[in-house]
Short mmCIF file of all heavy atoms in Angstrom, two decimals:
data_model
loop_
_atom_site.label_atom_id
_atom_site.label_comp_id
_atom_site.label_asym_id
_atom_site.label_seq_id
_atom_site.Cartn_x
_atom_site.Cartn_y
_atom_site.Cartn_z
N ALA A 1202 -8.57 4.50 6.18
CA ALA A 1202 -8.35 4.91 4.79
C ALA A 1202 -7.86 6.36 4.73
O ALA A 1202 -7.07 6.70 3.88
CB ALA A 1202 -9.62 4.74 3.98
N ASP A 1203 -8.35 7.20 5.66
CA ASP A 1203 -7.94 8.59 5.66
C ASP A 1203 -6.45 8.72 5.94
O ASP A 1203 -5.75 9.50 5.29
CB ASP A 1203 -8.75 9.38 6.69
CG ASP A 1203 -8.42 10.86 6.66
OD1 ASP A 1203 -8.45 11.45 5.56
OD2 ASP A 1203 -8.12 11.41 7.72
N LEU A 1204 -5.96 7.96 6.91
CA LEU A 1204 -4.53 7.99 7.22
C LEU A 1204 -3.72 7.52 6.01
O LEU A 1204 -2.72 8.13 5.66
CB LEU A 1204 -4.23 7.11 8.44
CG LEU A 1204 -2.74 6.94 8.76
CD1 LEU A 1204 -2.09 8.29 9.06
CD2 LEU A 1204 -2.56 5.98 9.91
N GLY A 1205 -4.17 6.47 5.37
CA GLY A 1205 -3.48 5.97 4.19
C GLY A 1205 -3.44 7.01 3.08
O GLY A 1205 -2.40 7.20 2.43
N ALA A 1206 -4.55 7.70 2.87
CA ALA A 1206 -4.58 8.74 1.83
C ALA A 1206 -3.63 9.87 2.18
O ALA A 1206 -2.95 10.42 1.29
CB ALA A 1206 -6.01 9.27 1.68
N ARG A 1207 -3.54 10.24 3.46
CA ARG A 1207 -2.60 11.29 3.88
C ARG A 1207 -1.16 10.85 3.67
O ARG A 1207 -0.31 11.65 3.28
CB ARG A 1207 -2.85 11.68 5.33
CG ARG A 1207 -4.16 12.43 5.51
CD ARG A 1207 -4.31 13.13 6.85
NE ARG A 1207 -3.59 12.52 7.95
CZ ARG A 1207 -4.16 11.96 9.02
NH1 ARG A 1207 -5.46 11.94 9.14
NH2 ARG A 1207 -3.43 11.46 9.98
N ILE A 1208 -0.87 9.57 3.91
CA ILE A 1208 0.49 9.06 3.69
C ILE A 1208 0.83 9.11 2.20
O ILE A 1208 1.90 9.58 1.81
CB ILE A 1208 0.64 7.62 4.23
CG1 ILE A 1208 0.56 7.63 5.75
CG2 ILE A 1208 1.95 7.00 3.76
CD1 ILE A 1208 0.45 6.27 6.38
N VAL A 1209 -0.10 8.64 1.36
CA VAL A 1209 0.14 8.66 -0.09
C VAL A 1209 0.37 10.08 -0.58
O VAL A 1209 1.31 10.37 -1.32
CB VAL A 1209 -1.03 7.99 -0.85
CG1 VAL A 1209 -0.94 8.25 -2.34
CG2 VAL A 1209 -1.05 6.49 -0.58
N THR A 1210 -0.47 11.02 -0.13
CA THR A 1210 -0.32 12.42 -0.54
C THR A 1210 0.98 13.01 -0.01
O THR A 1210 1.69 13.70 -0.74
CB THR A 1210 -1.52 13.25 -0.03
OG1 THR A 1210 -2.72 12.70 -0.58
CG2 THR A 1210 -1.39 14.70 -0.44
N GLY A 1211 1.30 12.71 1.22
CA GLY A 1211 2.52 13.24 1.83
C GLY A 1211 3.79 12.72 1.20
O GLY A 1211 4.83 13.38 1.22
N MET A 1212 3.73 11.53 0.63
CA MET A 1212 4.91 10.92 0.03
C MET A 1212 5.05 11.25 -1.45
O MET A 1212 5.99 10.81 -2.10
CB MET A 1212 4.88 9.40 0.22
CG MET A 1212 5.01 8.97 1.67
SD MET A 1212 6.58 9.43 2.43
CE MET A 1212 7.73 8.52 1.44
N THR A 1213 4.11 11.98 -2.00
CA THR A 1213 4.18 12.39 -3.40
C THR A 1213 4.95 13.71 -3.46
O THR A 1213 4.45 14.73 -3.00
CB THR A 1213 2.78 12.55 -4.00
OG1 THR A 1213 2.09 11.30 -3.88
CG2 THR A 1213 2.83 12.96 -5.47
N VAL A 1214 6.16 13.65 -3.97
CA VAL A 1214 7.03 14.83 -3.98
C VAL A 1214 7.70 15.00 -5.33
O VAL A 1214 7.77 14.07 -6.13
CB VAL A 1214 8.11 14.74 -2.88
CG1 VAL A 1214 7.51 14.72 -1.51
CG2 VAL A 1214 9.00 13.54 -3.09
N ARG A 1215 8.19 16.19 -5.57
CA ARG A 1215 8.97 16.49 -6.76
C ARG A 1215 10.34 16.93 -6.29
O ARG A 1215 10.46 17.83 -5.49
CB ARG A 1215 8.32 17.58 -7.59
CG ARG A 1215 9.18 17.99 -8.78
CD ARG A 1215 8.38 18.80 -9.74
NE ARG A 1215 7.69 17.88 -10.60
CZ ARG A 1215 7.71 17.95 -11.92
NH1 ARG A 1215 8.32 18.92 -12.52
NH2 ARG A 1215 7.07 17.07 -12.64
N ASP A 1216 11.36 16.27 -6.80
CA ASP A 1216 12.73 16.62 -6.46
C ASP A 1216 13.30 17.44 -7.60
O ASP A 1216 13.54 16.93 -8.68
CB ASP A 1216 13.57 15.37 -6.22
CG ASP A 1216 14.98 15.69 -5.75
OD1 ASP A 1216 15.41 16.85 -5.88
OD2 ASP A 1216 15.64 14.78 -5.25
N GLY A 1217 13.49 18.74 -7.36
CA GLY A 1217 14.00 19.63 -8.39
C GLY A 1217 15.50 19.84 -8.29
O GLY A 1217 16.06 20.65 -9.03
N SER A 1218 16.17 19.10 -7.40
CA SER A 1218 17.60 19.29 -7.24
C SER A 1218 18.42 18.60 -8.32
O SER A 1218 19.61 18.85 -8.45
CB SER A 1218 18.05 18.81 -5.86
OG SER A 1218 17.90 17.40 -5.76
N LEU A 1219 17.81 17.73 -9.08
CA LEU A 1219 18.51 17.02 -10.14
C LEU A 1219 18.46 17.82 -11.44
O LEU A 1219 17.77 18.83 -11.53
CB LEU A 1219 17.87 15.64 -10.34
CG LEU A 1219 17.80 14.77 -9.07
CD1 LEU A 1219 17.00 13.51 -9.34
CD2 LEU A 1219 19.20 14.43 -8.60
N THR A 1220 19.19 17.38 -12.45
CA THR A 1220 19.19 18.06 -13.75
C THR A 1220 17.78 18.15 -14.31
O THR A 1220 17.36 19.20 -14.80
CB THR A 1220 20.10 17.32 -14.74
OG1 THR A 1220 21.39 17.18 -14.16
CG2 THR A 1220 20.21 18.06 -16.05
N GLN A 1221 17.04 17.07 -14.23
CA GLN A 1221 15.64 17.01 -14.64
C GLN A 1221 14.79 16.76 -13.40
O GLN A 1221 15.14 15.89 -12.59
CB GLN A 1221 15.41 15.87 -15.64
CG GLN A 1221 16.16 16.02 -16.94
CD GLN A 1221 15.54 17.09 -17.81
OE1 GLN A 1221 14.34 17.31 -17.79
NE2 GLN A 1221 16.38 17.78 -18.58
N PRO A 1222 13.70 17.49 -13.22
CA PRO A 1222 12.84 17.22 -12.05
C PRO A 1222 12.32 15.78 -12.08
O PRO A 1222 12.01 15.24 -13.14
CB PRO A 1222 11.68 18.20 -12.21
CG PRO A 1222 12.19 19.26 -13.11
CD PRO A 1222 13.19 18.59 -14.02
N VAL A 1223 12.29 15.16 -10.93
CA VAL A 1223 11.84 13.77 -10.81
C VAL A 1223 10.67 13.74 -9.83
O VAL A 1223 10.75 14.30 -8.74
CB VAL A 1223 12.98 12.87 -10.30
CG1 VAL A 1223 12.50 11.44 -10.11
CG2 VAL A 1223 14.17 12.91 -11.25
N ASP A 1224 9.58 13.07 -10.23
CA ASP A 1224 8.43 12.88 -9.35
C ASP A 1224 8.58 11.55 -8.62
O ASP A 1224 8.90 10.54 -9.23
CB ASP A 1224 7.12 12.86 -10.15
CG ASP A 1224 6.82 14.21 -10.77
OD1 ASP A 1224 7.14 15.23 -10.15
OD2 ASP A 1224 6.26 14.23 -11.88
N PHE A 1225 8.34 11.58 -7.32
CA PHE A 1225 8.35 10.37 -6.51
C PHE A 1225 6.94 10.17 -5.95
O PHE A 1225 6.34 11.10 -5.43
CB PHE A 1225 9.32 10.50 -5.33
CG PHE A 1225 10.75 10.57 -5.74
CD1 PHE A 1225 11.36 11.80 -5.94
CD2 PHE A 1225 11.49 9.42 -5.94
CE1 PHE A 1225 12.69 11.88 -6.32
CE2 PHE A 1225 12.82 9.49 -6.32
CZ PHE A 1225 13.43 10.72 -6.51
N THR A 1226 6.43 8.95 -6.08
CA THR A 1226 5.12 8.62 -5.51
C THR A 1226 5.27 7.31 -4.74
O THR A 1226 6.29 6.63 -4.82
CB THR A 1226 4.05 8.45 -6.60
OG1 THR A 1226 4.43 7.38 -7.47
CG2 THR A 1226 3.87 9.72 -7.41
N ILE A 1227 4.23 6.97 -4.00
CA ILE A 1227 4.23 5.74 -3.23
C ILE A 1227 2.92 4.99 -3.49
O ILE A 1227 1.87 5.60 -3.64
CB ILE A 1227 4.40 6.04 -1.72
CG1 ILE A 1227 4.55 4.77 -0.91
CG2 ILE A 1227 3.28 6.90 -1.20
CD1 ILE A 1227 4.95 5.02 0.53
N SER A 1228 3.03 3.68 -3.60
CA SER A 1228 1.86 2.82 -3.67
C SER A 1228 1.89 1.91 -2.45
O SER A 1228 2.95 1.43 -2.05
CB SER A 1228 1.87 1.98 -4.95
OG SER A 1228 1.76 2.81 -6.08
N ILE A 1229 0.72 1.68 -1.86
CA ILE A 1229 0.64 0.92 -0.62
C ILE A 1229 -0.38 -0.20 -0.76
O ILE A 1229 -1.48 0.01 -1.25
CB ILE A 1229 0.23 1.83 0.55
CG1 ILE A 1229 1.25 2.96 0.76
CG2 ILE A 1229 0.05 1.02 1.84
CD1 ILE A 1229 0.81 4.00 1.76
N GLY A 1230 0.01 -1.37 -0.31
CA GLY A 1230 -0.91 -2.49 -0.16
C GLY A 1230 -1.06 -2.73 1.33
O GLY A 1230 -0.07 -2.92 2.03
N ALA A 1231 -2.27 -2.69 1.85
CA ALA A 1231 -2.49 -2.81 3.29
C ALA A 1231 -3.54 -3.88 3.57
O ALA A 1231 -4.38 -4.19 2.73
CB ALA A 1231 -2.96 -1.48 3.85
N VAL A 1232 -3.45 -4.42 4.75
CA VAL A 1232 -4.43 -5.41 5.20
C VAL A 1232 -4.65 -5.22 6.69
O VAL A 1232 -3.72 -4.91 7.43
CB VAL A 1232 -3.95 -6.85 4.87
CG1 VAL A 1232 -2.69 -7.21 5.62
CG2 VAL A 1232 -5.04 -7.88 5.16
N LEU A 1233 -5.88 -5.37 7.12
CA LEU A 1233 -6.21 -5.34 8.54
C LEU A 1233 -6.04 -6.76 9.07
O LEU A 1233 -6.67 -7.69 8.55
CB LEU A 1233 -7.65 -4.88 8.75
CG LEU A 1233 -8.18 -4.92 10.17
CD1 LEU A 1233 -7.38 -3.97 11.05
CD2 LEU A 1233 -9.65 -4.57 10.19
N VAL A 1234 -5.17 -6.92 10.03
CA VAL A 1234 -4.91 -8.26 10.57
C VAL A 1234 -5.72 -8.43 11.85
O VAL A 1234 -5.55 -7.67 12.81
CB VAL A 1234 -3.40 -8.45 10.87
CG1 VAL A 1234 -3.14 -9.83 11.44
CG2 VAL A 1234 -2.59 -8.23 9.60
N LEU A 1235 -6.59 -9.38 11.82
CA LEU A 1235 -7.42 -9.67 12.98
C LEU A 1235 -6.69 -10.60 13.94
O LEU A 1235 -5.82 -11.37 13.53
CB LEU A 1235 -8.74 -10.30 12.53
CG LEU A 1235 -9.56 -9.47 11.54
CD1 LEU A 1235 -10.76 -10.26 11.06
CD2 LEU A 1235 -9.98 -8.16 12.17
N ARG A 1236 -7.04 -10.51 15.20
CA ARG A 1236 -6.42 -11.38 16.21
C ARG A 1236 -6.59 -12.84 15.80
O ARG A 1236 -7.68 -13.26 15.41
CB ARG A 1236 -7.08 -11.15 17.56
CG ARG A 1236 -6.41 -11.88 18.69
CD ARG A 1236 -7.01 -11.50 19.98
NE ARG A 1236 -6.98 -10.04 20.03
CZ ARG A 1236 -6.80 -9.33 21.11
NH1 ARG A 1236 -6.66 -9.91 22.25
NH2 ARG A 1236 -6.78 -8.02 21.07
N GLY A 1237 -5.51 -13.56 15.84
CA GLY A 1237 -5.55 -14.98 15.51
C GLY A 1237 -5.28 -15.28 14.05
O GLY A 1237 -5.16 -16.43 13.67
N ALA A 1238 -5.17 -14.25 13.23
CA ALA A 1238 -4.90 -14.46 11.80
C ALA A 1238 -3.45 -14.88 11.60
O ALA A 1238 -2.57 -14.47 12.35
CB ALA A 1238 -5.20 -13.19 11.01
N ALA A 1239 -3.21 -15.68 10.60
CA ALA A 1239 -1.86 -16.12 10.28
C ALA A 1239 -1.09 -14.95 9.64
O ALA A 1239 -1.56 -14.37 8.66
CB ALA A 1239 -1.91 -17.31 9.33
N VAL A 1240 0.04 -14.61 10.21
CA VAL A 1240 0.82 -13.48 9.72
C VAL A 1240 1.29 -13.70 8.29
O VAL A 1240 1.23 -12.78 7.46
CB VAL A 1240 2.02 -13.20 10.66
CG1 VAL A 1240 2.94 -12.13 10.09
CG2 VAL A 1240 1.53 -12.80 12.03
N ASP A 1241 1.74 -14.91 7.96
CA ASP A 1241 2.22 -15.16 6.60
C ASP A 1241 1.10 -14.97 5.58
O ASP A 1241 1.31 -14.42 4.50
CB ASP A 1241 2.86 -16.54 6.46
CG ASP A 1241 1.91 -17.69 6.80
OD1 ASP A 1241 0.99 -17.50 7.62
OD2 ASP A 1241 2.11 -18.79 6.25
N LEU A 1242 -0.11 -15.36 5.92
CA LEU A 1242 -1.25 -15.17 5.02
C LEU A 1242 -1.60 -13.68 4.90
O LEU A 1242 -1.87 -13.18 3.81
CB LEU A 1242 -2.46 -15.96 5.52
CG LEU A 1242 -3.70 -15.94 4.63
CD1 LEU A 1242 -3.38 -16.42 3.22
CD2 LEU A 1242 -4.80 -16.77 5.24
N ALA A 1243 -1.53 -12.97 6.01
CA ALA A 1243 -1.78 -11.52 5.99
C ALA A 1243 -0.77 -10.82 5.10
O ALA A 1243 -1.12 -9.93 4.31
CB ALA A 1243 -1.74 -10.95 7.40
N LEU A 1244 0.50 -11.20 5.19
CA LEU A 1244 1.53 -10.60 4.34
C LEU A 1244 1.29 -10.91 2.87
O LEU A 1244 1.51 -10.05 2.01
CB LEU A 1244 2.92 -11.08 4.77
CG LEU A 1244 3.41 -10.52 6.10
CD1 LEU A 1244 4.73 -11.17 6.50
CD2 LEU A 1244 3.55 -9.01 6.04
N ARG A 1245 0.84 -12.10 2.56
CA ARG A 1245 0.53 -12.43 1.16
C ARG A 1245 -0.62 -11.58 0.64
O ARG A 1245 -0.61 -11.11 -0.49
CB ARG A 1245 0.21 -13.92 1.01
CG ARG A 1245 1.46 -14.79 1.08
CD ARG A 1245 1.23 -16.18 0.52
NE ARG A 1245 0.19 -16.92 1.21
CZ ARG A 1245 0.39 -17.74 2.23
NH1 ARG A 1245 1.60 -17.91 2.72
NH2 ARG A 1245 -0.60 -18.39 2.77
N HIS A 1246 -1.63 -11.35 1.49
CA HIS A 1246 -2.76 -10.49 1.09
C HIS A 1246 -2.28 -9.06 0.86
O HIS A 1246 -2.68 -8.42 -0.11
CB HIS A 1246 -3.84 -10.50 2.18
CG HIS A 1246 -4.71 -11.72 2.14
ND1 HIS A 1246 -6.07 -11.65 1.98
CD2 HIS A 1246 -4.42 -13.04 2.26
CE1 HIS A 1246 -6.58 -12.87 2.00
NE2 HIS A 1246 -5.59 -13.72 2.16
N ALA A 1247 -1.43 -8.55 1.77
CA ALA A 1247 -0.90 -7.18 1.63
C ALA A 1247 -0.04 -7.08 0.38
O ALA A 1247 -0.09 -6.08 -0.34
CB ALA A 1247 -0.11 -6.80 2.87
N ASP A 1248 0.76 -8.10 0.11
CA ASP A 1248 1.61 -8.09 -1.08
C ASP A 1248 0.77 -8.07 -2.35
O ASP A 1248 1.05 -7.30 -3.28
CB ASP A 1248 2.52 -9.33 -1.06
CG ASP A 1248 3.65 -9.24 -2.06
OD1 ASP A 1248 4.31 -8.18 -2.11
OD2 ASP A 1248 3.88 -10.22 -2.78
N ALA A 1249 -0.29 -8.87 -2.38
CA ALA A 1249 -1.18 -8.86 -3.55
C ALA A 1249 -1.84 -7.49 -3.71
O ALA A 1249 -1.99 -6.99 -4.84
CB ALA A 1249 -2.24 -9.95 -3.40
N ALA A 1250 -2.21 -6.86 -2.60
CA ALA A 1250 -2.81 -5.53 -2.66
C ALA A 1250 -1.80 -4.51 -3.19
O ALA A 1250 -2.15 -3.61 -3.96
CB ALA A 1250 -3.32 -5.11 -1.29
N LEU A 1251 -0.53 -4.65 -2.81
CA LEU A 1251 0.50 -3.75 -3.30
C LEU A 1251 0.65 -3.88 -4.81
O LEU A 1251 0.69 -2.88 -5.53
CB LEU A 1251 1.84 -4.04 -2.61
CG LEU A 1251 3.05 -3.29 -3.18
CD1 LEU A 1251 2.87 -1.79 -3.06
CD2 LEU A 1251 4.31 -3.76 -2.49
N TYR A 1252 0.71 -5.09 -5.32
CA TYR A 1252 0.83 -5.28 -6.77
C TYR A 1252 -0.39 -4.74 -7.50
O TYR A 1252 -0.28 -4.18 -8.58
CB TYR A 1252 1.08 -6.75 -7.11
CG TYR A 1252 2.53 -7.12 -6.89
CD1 TYR A 1252 2.94 -7.78 -5.75
CD2 TYR A 1252 3.51 -6.75 -7.82
CE1 TYR A 1252 4.27 -8.09 -5.53
CE2 TYR A 1252 4.84 -7.05 -7.61
CZ TYR A 1252 5.21 -7.72 -6.47
OH TYR A 1252 6.53 -8.02 -6.27
N ARG A 1253 -1.57 -4.88 -6.90
CA ARG A 1253 -2.78 -4.30 -7.50
C ARG A 1253 -2.69 -2.77 -7.52
O ARG A 1253 -3.04 -2.13 -8.51
CB ARG A 1253 -4.01 -4.75 -6.73
CG ARG A 1253 -5.28 -4.35 -7.41
CD ARG A 1253 -6.49 -4.99 -6.75
NE ARG A 1253 -7.54 -3.99 -6.73
CZ ARG A 1253 -8.45 -3.86 -5.80
NH1 ARG A 1253 -8.46 -4.66 -4.77
NH2 ARG A 1253 -9.36 -2.92 -5.88
N ALA A 1254 -2.19 -2.19 -6.42
CA ALA A 1254 -2.03 -0.73 -6.36
C ALA A 1254 -1.07 -0.25 -7.44
O ALA A 1254 -1.33 0.75 -8.12
CB ALA A 1254 -1.53 -0.31 -4.98
N LYS A 1255 0.02 -0.96 -7.63
CA LYS A 1255 1.00 -0.58 -8.66
C LYS A 1255 0.38 -0.71 -10.05
O LYS A 1255 0.62 0.12 -10.92
CB LYS A 1255 2.24 -1.46 -8.56
CG LYS A 1255 3.09 -1.14 -7.37
CD LYS A 1255 4.28 -2.09 -7.30
CE LYS A 1255 5.22 -1.67 -6.21
NZ LYS A 1255 6.55 -1.39 -6.69
N ALA A 1256 -0.42 -1.74 -10.27
CA ALA A 1256 -1.04 -1.96 -11.58
C ALA A 1256 -2.08 -0.89 -11.89
O ALA A 1256 -2.29 -0.55 -13.06
CB ALA A 1256 -1.69 -3.35 -11.62
N GLU A 1257 -2.72 -0.33 -10.86
CA GLU A 1257 -3.77 0.67 -11.07
C GLU A 1257 -3.23 2.09 -11.26
O GLU A 1257 -3.99 2.99 -11.57
CB GLU A 1257 -4.77 0.63 -9.92
CG GLU A 1257 -5.60 -0.64 -9.93
CD GLU A 1257 -6.69 -0.64 -8.88
OE1 GLU A 1257 -6.99 0.41 -8.30
OE2 GLU A 1257 -7.24 -1.73 -8.64
N GLY A 1258 -1.94 2.28 -11.08
CA GLY A 1258 -1.36 3.60 -11.31
C GLY A 1258 -0.60 4.12 -10.11
O GLY A 1258 -0.46 3.45 -9.10
N ARG A 1259 -0.12 5.36 -10.26
CA ARG A 1259 0.70 5.96 -9.21
C ARG A 1259 -0.13 6.42 -8.02
O ARG A 1259 -1.31 6.72 -8.13
CB ARG A 1259 1.41 7.19 -9.79
CG ARG A 1259 2.37 6.86 -10.85
CD ARG A 1259 2.97 8.13 -11.40
NE ARG A 1259 4.29 7.80 -11.91
CZ ARG A 1259 5.30 8.61 -11.93
NH1 ARG A 1259 5.16 9.84 -11.50
NH2 ARG A 1259 6.44 8.21 -12.40
N ALA A 1260 0.57 6.49 -6.88
CA ALA A 1260 0.01 7.06 -5.65
C ALA A 1260 -1.32 6.41 -5.27
O ALA A 1260 -2.34 7.06 -5.14
CB ALA A 1260 -0.14 8.58 -5.80
N ARG A 1261 -1.27 5.11 -5.09
CA ARG A 1261 -2.49 4.35 -4.75
C ARG A 1261 -2.36 3.67 -3.40
O ARG A 1261 -1.29 3.28 -2.98
CB ARG A 1261 -2.73 3.24 -5.79
CG ARG A 1261 -2.87 3.69 -7.19
CD ARG A 1261 -4.24 4.22 -7.43
NE ARG A 1261 -4.30 4.70 -8.81
CZ ARG A 1261 -5.31 5.29 -9.32
NH1 ARG A 1261 -6.38 5.49 -8.59
NH2 ARG A 1261 -5.30 5.71 -10.56
N LEU A 1262 -3.49 3.52 -2.76
CA LEU A 1262 -3.61 2.74 -1.54
C LEU A 1262 -4.71 1.72 -1.77
O LEU A 1262 -5.84 2.09 -2.09
CB LEU A 1262 -3.98 3.64 -0.36
CG LEU A 1262 -4.43 2.94 0.92
CD1 LEU A 1262 -3.30 2.11 1.51
CD2 LEU A 1262 -4.94 3.95 1.93
N ILE A 1263 -4.38 0.45 -1.63
CA ILE A 1263 -5.35 -0.63 -1.80
C ILE A 1263 -5.38 -1.44 -0.53
O ILE A 1263 -4.34 -1.88 -0.02
CB ILE A 1263 -4.97 -1.55 -2.99
CG1 ILE A 1263 -4.91 -0.76 -4.31
CG2 ILE A 1263 -5.93 -2.73 -3.09
CD1 ILE A 1263 -6.25 -0.24 -4.80
N PHE A 1264 -6.58 -1.62 0.02
CA PHE A 1264 -6.75 -2.50 1.19
C PHE A 1264 -7.18 -3.88 0.72
O PHE A 1264 -8.10 -4.00 -0.08
CB PHE A 1264 -7.84 -1.94 2.12
CG PHE A 1264 -7.35 -0.87 3.04
CD1 PHE A 1264 -7.51 0.45 2.74
CD2 PHE A 1264 -6.71 -1.23 4.23
CE1 PHE A 1264 -7.05 1.44 3.59
CE2 PHE A 1264 -6.25 -0.25 5.09
CZ PHE A 1264 -6.42 1.09 4.77
N ALA A 1265 -6.51 -4.89 1.23
CA ALA A 1265 -6.87 -6.27 0.94
C ALA A 1265 -7.92 -6.72 1.97
O ALA A 1265 -8.01 -6.14 3.07
CB ALA A 1265 -5.66 -7.17 1.05
N ALA A 1266 -8.69 -7.70 1.60
CA ALA A 1266 -9.62 -8.29 2.56
C ALA A 1266 -8.81 -8.95 3.66
O ALA A 1266 -7.75 -9.53 3.39
CB ALA A 1266 -10.50 -9.32 1.87
N PRO A 1267 -9.24 -8.87 4.90
CA PRO A 1267 -8.47 -9.52 5.98
C PRO A 1267 -8.48 -11.03 5.80
O PRO A 1267 -9.48 -11.61 5.38
CB PRO A 1267 -9.19 -9.10 7.26
CG PRO A 1267 -10.51 -8.58 6.85
CD PRO A 1267 -10.42 -8.20 5.39
N PRO A 1268 -7.34 -11.66 6.09
CA PRO A 1268 -7.31 -13.13 6.01
C PRO A 1268 -8.16 -13.72 7.13
O PRO A 1268 -8.40 -13.05 8.14
CB PRO A 1268 -5.83 -13.46 6.20
CG PRO A 1268 -5.24 -12.27 6.87
CD PRO A 1268 -6.07 -11.09 6.47
N PRO A 1269 -8.62 -14.95 6.96
CA PRO A 1269 -9.41 -15.56 8.03
C PRO A 1269 -8.57 -15.75 9.28
O PRO A 1269 -7.35 -15.85 9.21
CB PRO A 1269 -9.82 -16.92 7.42
CG PRO A 1269 -8.89 -17.16 6.31
CD PRO A 1269 -8.39 -15.83 5.84
N ASP A 1270 -9.23 -15.80 10.44
CA ASP A 1270 -8.48 -16.01 11.69
C ASP A 1270 -8.09 -17.47 11.81
O ASP A 1270 -8.49 -18.31 11.01
CB ASP A 1270 -9.26 -15.50 12.90
CG ASP A 1270 -10.55 -16.25 13.14
OD1 ASP A 1270 -10.69 -17.39 12.64
OD2 ASP A 1270 -11.44 -15.72 13.81
N ALA A 1271 -7.32 -17.77 12.82
CA ALA A 1271 -6.80 -19.13 13.01
C ALA A 1271 -7.90 -20.15 13.22
O ALA A 1271 -7.74 -21.32 12.93
CB ALA A 1271 -5.83 -19.14 14.19
N ALA A 1272 -9.06 -19.71 13.71
CA ALA A 1272 -10.18 -20.64 13.97
C ALA A 1272 -10.97 -20.90 12.70
O ALA A 1272 -11.89 -21.71 12.70
CB ALA A 1272 -11.08 -20.05 15.05
N GLY A 1273 -10.64 -20.19 11.60
CA GLY A 1273 -11.35 -20.42 10.36
C GLY A 1273 -12.58 -19.56 10.19
O GLY A 1273 -13.38 -19.80 9.32
N ASP A 1274 -12.78 -18.56 11.04
CA ASP A 1274 -13.97 -17.69 10.96
C ASP A 1274 -13.83 -16.68 9.85
O ASP A 1274 -12.81 -16.18 9.55
CB ASP A 1274 -14.18 -16.96 12.28
CG ASP A 1274 -14.49 -17.94 13.40
OD1 ASP A 1274 -14.99 -19.04 13.11
OD2 ASP A 1274 -14.22 -17.60 14.58
#
């Protein structure tokens, strides 16, 4: 989570080179993928976390619950 927070903070910038200053932020949806987990399911979890991060406001990092492994654990 600390690395994610540093990425979010580092990607929050103000570009003053334009006529009007523009703020840029980043929202991240992340998931921890366990060995044996289905990649497509992990991506769906990360995508849902990204949409949740966007819905909660600017400069957010949301971790999704890891998908179950291939054995169903």
